Amino acid sequence: MSALRELARKPLALSCAVFAVLVVLAGARYDGLVSAAVLSNLIEDNAELGLAALGATWVLIGGGLDLSIGSVCACAGIGAAKLIVAGGLDPFAAFALVVGGGVAFGALQGLAIERLSLPPFLVTLAGLFVARAAALSIELESLAVSHPTLAALGDARLRVGELSIGPLGLAWLGATCLCAFALASSRFGRRVRAVGGNARAALHFGLAPARVRIELYALSAGFAALAGCAHVVYGGSGSAIAASGLELEAIAAAVVGGTSLAGGVGSALGTALGVALFGFIQTVILFEGTLGAGWTRVAVGGLFLGFVALRKVLETWVRR
Amino acid sequence: MNPLELAGIEKRFPGVVALDGVDLDVRAGEIHALVGQNGAGKSTLAKILTGLERADAGTFSVDGRRVRPRSPAEALALGIGAIHQEVDLVPELSLAENLLLGREPLRWWGSDRRELASRARRALADLGVEVDVRRAAKDVPLGVQQQVCIARALSSDARILIYDEPTASLGSAEVERLFAQMRALRERGLAQVFVAHSLEQVFALADRITVLRDGKRVGTFVARESSPHAIVEAMLGAALGGAPERRASTAGHAWFEARGLARPGVLAPIDFALAPGEVLGVVGLVGSGRTELARALVAADPGVHGERLVDGAPVRVTSPRAAARVGLWLSPEDRKVDGLCLGLSVRENLALGVQRRARFARVSRAEQTELAERWIRALGIAATPEQRVGTLSGGNQQKVILARLLAAEPRLVVLDEPTRGVDVGAKAQLEARIAECAERGLSVLFISSELDEVVRRARRVLVLRDRRAEVLLVDADVAALRRAMAGGETAGTAPHTMVPPGGRDAE
C-alpha cells in the first residue's frame, strides 16, 4: 500500500513500474524480446525522438510549449543533406551549421513570445508552418546522402558486453545525462525550474524570466535540429516531410516521464524512459508480426491515455 | 539623511493617476506603515520602491543618492528587499535553492549543494528559524516560507525592507512571529516599510504612519501620538460615522439544517441549522476547515457526506448547480479565482447569476443592463455595467459577487471571507448590505477572520478547530471567540441549539 502511495507521488517511479510490468509481460510472451540486441536497437532507433524530447522537456519545465520541433527537425535534416550533397561540406560542418541555424530560429521564436507577449502556442505554431515551408523550399524530394564520414558513423559501434551502441545512441544517452545534471544542479537548470514553477517569484527574486525563456526556445530548437541531424545519419537521407508530429510525440514522452505541462517539474531521465517506453511498444508490435505499422500508433496512443489516467486515479486515491 | 526618501512621486496609468506627488521618508531603525483605502496608491508605491514599476516623475533617493531601479534585481542591489503579499517562492525548489536563487555558490562542475545548504541554514538561523532547508517550499507552512523571503532579502545585504501586506495569508501565531522578527530588525537599524490593511497591526508595530488617499499623501502621523480613529478619518477623508451595530434578529424556526456534513480527511461531521434571516458566524484559524465547510455545503468538491434538510425534507445536493436549485449559493474565498469572470463586464457577470433561472428563455441585452444598473444602485458598486470586473477594486468586486448571488434570489448564501482585502469604507458598506438582506429573510453563513465583524453581525457563531466543530457560541464577544479558536473553551452549547426567538434582539 505505502509503496503504491509512493508511486503515485512520484510520476517517474510510476513510469518505471509500468515499464517493468510491460517488460515482464512481453518478455514472457515473446522469445528473444528481452535481450541486449533488442535494447541496442531500441536505443539507436529512438535517438532522434529522444533528442527532440529533451528539448521539449526543457521548454515544458520552463513553463512553455514548442510546437515547431518536428518542422525544425525536418528542416535541419534536409538542410544538412543539401549542404553535404550540393555544397560539398563535411557532414560535421553541415551539422554544426544547421544546429546553429536551429538555435537562431528558436531564439527568434522566444523573442517574439517575450517581446510581444504572445502565447507560445501561437508563435511556435507559426514556427511549425514556417520551418516546414522552409524545408520544402530547400528540396521537395527526399535527398539521399552518401559520404564516407557518414558511412563510417553508420558502422561505428561501441560494445559494452552484449550491448552495442552506435553514435546516435551515444549522443542521445550523453545528452540525456548532461541535461539531467544541468537540470538538477546547474544555475541554468535551477533558473528554468524557478521560472516554470513560479515566474512571478522568479521576477521578484531578480531573475530575468524573459531571458531564461528565450534561451529555452533556442535550446529546444537546437535539440530539434540535432534530431534532424540524427535523422540524416540514421537513414542516410534528408526529407522535408519527415518528422511530422514529432513535437507531439516528444511532449507525450516527456509527460510519461513525469514532466508537468504546468511547468516547474520534470526530469531528463524520465523523458528518456518515456521515449524508451514508446520504442518498446513498437518493438513488441514488431514481434507480434501480424499487426501493421498503423497499430503501433494505436498502441502508443492507448498506452499514453491509460498511463495518464492511471496516474490521475492514483493521485486522487493518495489524496484521500 | 534618511535611508529612503521619496519626493513628488507621480505615476499614471491609462485613465488613472495612481500617485500624485507623494513624499515619503523612512528612517533607519523605523517601521513605517503605509495605509489607505484600496486604490489609494499603496501598492503602486510599493511597486515603485521594489523596482516593479517606475515613477513618471519625482525623486527617489537611497542614502541621499538618486536612484531609479528598473527591476527587483536592481532594487535589491541598492539594498531594497521586498516581502510580498502572497508569499512567493518557487514551490518545487528547496528552501535553500529559493533562498539563494541567482546567487548560488558555484564550483566548476555546477553548484555546490553542501555550501548552498549551509549558507541557507546560516541565513535562517540568523532569524531564529530552524528548518530543514532541503525541503521543498511547497511542503512548509506559509509562515516559514515568508521567513525565507525575509532571510533572502537580508542575505543580499538589504537595509531597507518593503512588506506588501505580509500578513494577508498568515495565521495569528505566524503574524506574531513575523512582528517579533520585524521588531528585532528595527533594533538592528533597518528601515522597514509596512503596507497594511489592519490598523490593529499598524498600531502594534509602526513608529510612523503615512496615509494615502486617491494617490495623494494625506499626512504622516507618529503612531504614539495618533489613534486608529484619526487614521481612518484621514483614509476616508471624512468623519467616521459609526458602523451599523444592530445584529440580525433570529426569528422563526430553522428552515435549513445540515446533518453530519463531512468530507473524509478534510472535514469532520458538522451539524447546524439556520432560521430565515439568521446570520450564522463561522470562525476558526487558518486551516481550521472554514473554507472546507463552505465548499462542502454546496458540494463544490466531490466526496461530501451528510444530509441537508430544506423545510424539513432531505434534498440531494451533489454539485453547486444542485445546491443553487434549492437556493444555496456560495461566495468563494478567492474571488479572483473562483468567484468572478474577471475578463467579463459587470453586466455579464450578473447575467451569469440569473442564467440558471432563465434556462431556455433569453435574457435580453436591455434586461441585462437594467439588472446591472439596478444592482449597481442597490449595492453602491462604483462601476458602470460595461466595465470589466478585473479593473474594479476588491471591495467592488465583492459587491458584484454579492449582487450576482442576490440576483439569483437565494434562500441561503455562504459568504467565505467577503471582506478580505477590502478597504475600511467598503467593509462597512458590505456589512450593512448583508444585514439588510438578512432582515428580508435571507439566511447567511458568514465566514470571516475579522472577529469583530462576526460579533457585530452574528448572534450564533460556530467555532471550528482542526477541521471539526469545536463549539457553538451564542452572543459571545471577541475574546471568547479567540479562546475557543485556540481550543479549551467548553462553556458553549451544542452546535444545533437555536437561539429562542425574541431572546436578546432589542439592542
Side-chain angles (χ1 to χ4, degrees), chain A residues 181 184-187 190-191 193-198 200-207 263-265 320, chain B residues 52 72-73 76 84 86 88-93 97-98 101-104 106 109-111 113 116 152:
Chain A
F181 173 77
S185 58
S186 78
R187 237 182 219 221
R190 198 169 288 120
R191 263 165 215 201
R193 285 188 288 141
V195 167
N198 184 349
R200 215 171 46 96
L203 177 72
H204 290 163
F205 283 6
L207 302 187
V265 186
R320 242 188 302 137
Chain B
L52 286 166
L76 198 58
H84 293 275
E86 294 92 15
D88 52 0
L89 299 181
V90 181
E92 302 292 338
L93 292 187
E97 286 178 314
N98 268 300
L101 196 65
R103 300 176 285 131
E104 304 93 339
L106 288 182
W109 68 84
S111 59
R113 287 184 182 210
L116 182 75
R152 198 188 146 75

Side-chain angles (χ1 to χ4, degrees), chain B residues 157-384:
Chain B
D157 294 325
R159 286 158 308 107
I160 303 165
L161 292 180
I162 316 292
Y163 302 81
D164 191 359
E165 295 181 29
T167 57
S169 39
L170 297 187
S172 54
E174 289 171 323
V175 169
E176 270 317 306
R177 190 186 176 91
L178 174 69
F179 284 4
Q181 195 67 68
M182 289 172 72
R183 288 189 191 102
L185 293 175
R186 169 165 62 190
E187 295 307 308
R188 285 200 221 167
L190 269 80
Q192 301 179 86
V193 178
F194 176 45
V195 179
H197 260 307
S198 155
L199 289 183
E200 193 187 334
Q201 292 178 356
V202 166
F203 277 91
L205 202 61
D207 302 300
R208 288 191 303 159
I209 303 164
T210 291
V211 180
L212 296 181
R213 188 173 73 234
D214 299 333
K216 296 194 181 69
R217 189 184 74 135
V218 182
T220 296
F221 301 80
V222 175
R224 253 176 299 128
E225 298 160 8
S226 182
S227 71
H229 201 80
I231 298 294
V232 171
E233 281 188 1
M235 283 164 65
L236 297 178
L240 187 63
E245 281 289 337
R246 258 175 325 123
R247 291 181 193 217
S249 60
T250 39
H253 294 288
W255 67 273
F256 177 84
E257 206 179 328
R259 283 188 194 157
L261 200 64
R263 236 184 116 212
V266 176
L267 189 68
I270 289 179
D271 304 331
F272 62 89
L274 275 164
E278 185 186 9
V279 178
L280 175 64
V282 177
V283 302
L285 298 172
V286 172
S288 61
R290 296 175 310 189
T291 294
E292 289 75 5
L293 172 62
R295 294 180 63 85
L297 188 60
V298 299
D301 300 300
V304 176
H305 297 228
E307 232 182 351
R308 301 169 190 78
L309 280 77
V310 170
D311 298 325
V315 290
R316 216 173 112 78
V317 173
T318 50
S319 67
R321 185 181 159 83
R325 216 170 284 145
V326 294
L328 314 181
W329 287 81
L330 168 69
S331 157
E333 181 181 28
D334 191 336
R335 54 179 164 259
K336 287 197 168 125
V337 175
D338 298 328
L340 290 167
C341 302
L342 296 180
L344 298 186
S345 67
V346 174
R347 171 182 60 80
E348 287 165 314
N349 268 287
L350 291 181
L352 287 175
V354 296
Q355 208 154 55
R356 205 196 63 83
R357 205 182 47 188
R359 199 59 82 85
F360 296 110
R362 207 178 106 80
V363 182
S364 76
R365 177 68 178 256
E367 282 173 75
Q368 291 180 24
T369 305
E370 198 270 330
L371 177 83
E373 280 169 351
R374 184 151 42 91
W375 283 107
I376 285 172
R377 264 197 316 277
L379 297 186
I381 304 171
T384 63

Side-chain angles (χ1 to χ4, degrees), chain A residues 68-128:
Chain A
S68 69
I69 289 173
S71 298
V72 169
C73 173
C75 189
I78 191 78
K82 186 83 174 183
L83 283 173
I84 298 166
V85 172
L89 245 61
D90 180 77
F92 283 111
F95 292 161
L97 271 178
V98 296
V99 170
V103 168
F105 183 74
L108 270 181
Q109 293 191 93
L111 270 173
I113 291 165
E114 294 305 323
R115 293 282 172 266
L116 306 177
S117 306
L118 291 171
F121 188 99
L122 296 184
V123 172
T124 59
L125 184 62
L128 179 152

Side-chain angles (χ1 to χ4, degrees), chain A residues 55 58-59 62-63 188 192 211-221:
Chain A
W58 275 103
V59 171
F188 180 66
V192 169
R211 219 185 73 196
V212 171
R213 283 196 213 104
I214 292 170
E215 287 165 354
L216 277 178
Y217 287 101
L219 188 67
S220 166

